[in-house]
Amino acid sequence: MLVQGLHRLEYRGYDSAGVAIVKNDGALNVCKAKGKVLNLEEKAASADVEGFLGIAHTRWATHGEPNDVNAHPQVSESGKIALVHNGTIENYAVLKKALVQHGRQFKSETDTEVLVQLIEYVQESNGCCLYEAVKEALAQVEGAYAIAVVEQGAPDTLIAARKASPLVIGIGEGETFIASDATPIVGYTDKVVYLKDNEIATIKQGGKVEIESLLDGKASKLDIKKLKMSVEQLEKGGYETFMLKEIFEQPETLTDCIRGRITDDCRKIILSGVIENKERFVHANRIVIVACGTSWHAALIGKHVIQEMCNISVEVEYASEFRYGCPYITKDDVVIAISQSGETADTLAAIQLARSKGAFVYGICNVVGASIPRNTDSGTYIHVGPEIGVASTKAFTGQVTVLTLLALCVGQMRGTVEEATVERIARELKKVPTYIKEVLGLADTIKDLSKIYTYARNFLYLGRGYNYPTALEGALKLKEISYIHAEGYPAAEMKHGPIALVDSEMPTVVIAPTDSLYDKIISNVRQVKARGGKVVAIITKGNETMKDIADHCLEVPDVPECLTPLVVSVPLQLLAYYIAINKDRNVDQPRNLAKSVTVE
């Protein structure tokens, strides 16, 4: 059961894995292995892992290299206490120094071992129970954590706590589960409790759960939510990889994303989170969007469409820079936070900063019940289903879709967009799932094309207007899963430096739909070709001009300019995917990456 849960969580980290079981006689057995969960599974096949209480972890290294010693669970010096931990203990060095001075000896390089050693030291010094020791130890900790702790001789008790790192409790029939997210729980129960920041839970055999605040010791009521997720959503469904499945799911996921949000006559956009807060959007001084990675690229597209439809200034910030950049935020600003997981540490910190300055904070998230929707004033779910592949695909198109709907909705409320424009774009947006299905028909063509460019060492991606961010996203996908260096640039900026890199060995991917900047990008492509560059162009169907210039053309349906990122991003995803597969990369678990970045 634990190993199956780790397989479902492996997208969050896969440097090493381990399990600790408290047997019915109270013995504590630990088994750990470097590398994938499969390695642990093989090692545990010959180990004694019988019991009714266990904790397990698949690690994404922050302190100490991936190896068996640094793998979780980490155990105390006596070997009596075991702990698994997501997050980062920021003051671990100070705590470790103090513990060493008190005679404690350490085996690993991890911050997690410092915490479990501290818990045991407190327990021995104060003569208290495990629960009180965990509470006291956490009071001395600075940083982020979601932890689970078990103790030798206590086969009926599990302690869990969280601060700035997600933790969910599954309430079953006579059994209880905790996990970093809901995916390992699906199939066992659909009843979950999302532990809040600075809460600690005691879980007893038989399903008894008690939660209290680490700040004031007050008991918390069990707020049980119904989980809407199926086992089928978490499986590959006949595809070789989760990433390929998620690319091909996009017609269905975008249908789910749009459903109920555009009226039948396409004249009105219904986003309840926006409509219920009409005054904040109508009278906003400006909009600031904070995000990281792929979500930041979606935000750049959102900036373009919101400014066009709403006649309001929009700024886009990396959440990691926003939180440390002394941002000027007022109570008249709307801050939009975007995150697939809803658990991105930098984005959560940016939200807290924005709220402290009185801004109205709006969340765009995929995971129901995650930290971002629970810490924002309002928001919208993208409803694209669980995204398991580390490199985001369907979440990106879902985010762009929601931002487009938001722009149209706010534009209607502000009176800055003509009704005919809303109807035209909304009608075409409803057709986008069909258009993407058509684009997916290019998969075999792109698979063949990928063989030509598999062994290129560098790529240049060019786009303009709405599709400059799409170029950034295309380059990121290639980097993430194939490990080929790639740069995304506004096409016009190419001659301000990157053109120096262009030669016959550096392919250029050009996003060139027939839009308001088409003639400009044609000129940019000619400049690349004049220097011997190879060009792969993504063009609007029926565009004959580019076919005479580029080496390869991939045709996509003709859509309104603001919707072009949705159809052109799919060929970019497929190109990156097949190049990575040709290079025998693990596209679902690319090296050094984790799906949810829940630490700084």
Side-chain angles (χ1 to χ4, degrees), residues 260-279:
R261 291 170 172 172
I262 300 174
T263 56
D264 291 341
D265 60 8
C266 296
R267 293 182 178 179
K268 190 172 180 59
I269 307 301
I270 303 170
L271 284 184
S272 57
V274 173
I275 294 168
E276 291 167 3
N277 297 280
K278 178 178 178 180
E279 295 303 309

Side-chain angles (χ1 to χ4, degrees), residues 411-600:
Q412 282 188 311
M413 294 191 307
R414 291 171 65 94
T416 53
V417 60
E418 294 181 358
E419 293 304 315
T421 301
V422 173
E423 183 178 347
R424 177 177 61 88
I425 294 173
R427 199 170 295 280
E428 286 296 302
L429 186 54
K430 275 190 166 185
K431 295 178 184 176
V432 162
T434 302
Y435 294 146
I436 289 180
K437 191 173 291 186
E438 181 182 335
V439 174
L440 289 168
L442 295 171
D444 287 341
T445 300
I446 296 171
K447 186 176 183 178
D448 290 339
L449 178 63
S450 70
K451 297 171 185 175
I452 300 172
Y453 296 107
T454 293
Y455 298 101
R457 299 182 66 183
N458 300 280
F459 266 79
L460 189 63
Y461 284 70
L462 302 178
R464 300 197 71 162
Y466 278 104
N467 286 304
Y468 157 51
T470 318
L472 293 174
E473 174 62 11
L476 177 62
K477 284 288 128 337
L478 189 70
K479 283 185 279 193
E480 285 179 313
I481 61 173
S482 75
Y483 318 147
I484 295 173
H485 174 256
E487 294 287 345
Y489 263 90
E493 288 297 302
M494 176 190 61
K495 51 187 176 291
H496 292 280
I499 199 169
L501 300 172
V502 172
D503 59 21
S504 61
E505 296 182 1
M506 180 155 178
T508 300
V509 179
V510 179
I511 304 167
T514 307
D515 57 19
S516 60
L517 293 170
Y518 175 70
D519 290 340
K520 303 289 186 185
I521 208 162
I522 281 285
S523 174
N524 301 137
V525 174
R526 291 189 187 280
Q527 292 163 10
V528 171
K529 291 301 298 178
R531 288 154 181 83
K534 301 293 184 183
V535 174
V536 177
I538 300 174
I539 62 173
T540 302
K541 190 181 296 183
N543 181 337
E544 299 300 323
T545 306
M546 187 64 79
K547 288 181 181 178
D548 294 333
I549 306 170
D551 296 273
H552 310 278
C553 289
L554 299 170
E555 294 183 283
V556 299
D558 188 10
V559 298
E561 193 165 339
C562 64
L563 302 182
T564 55
L566 293 171
V567 293
V568 303
S569 61
V570 177
L572 299 178
Q573 294 168 357
L574 288 168
L575 182 63
Y577 177 84
Y578 286 118
I579 288 175
I581 290 296
N582 294 342
K583 295 177 76 69
D584 199 27
R585 307 302 193 201
N586 185 337
V587 296
D588 285 339
Q589 298 170 356
R591 70 185 182 199
N592 302 333
L593 296 179
K595 180 66 177 173
S596 304
V597 183
T598 56
V599 296
E600 280 197 70

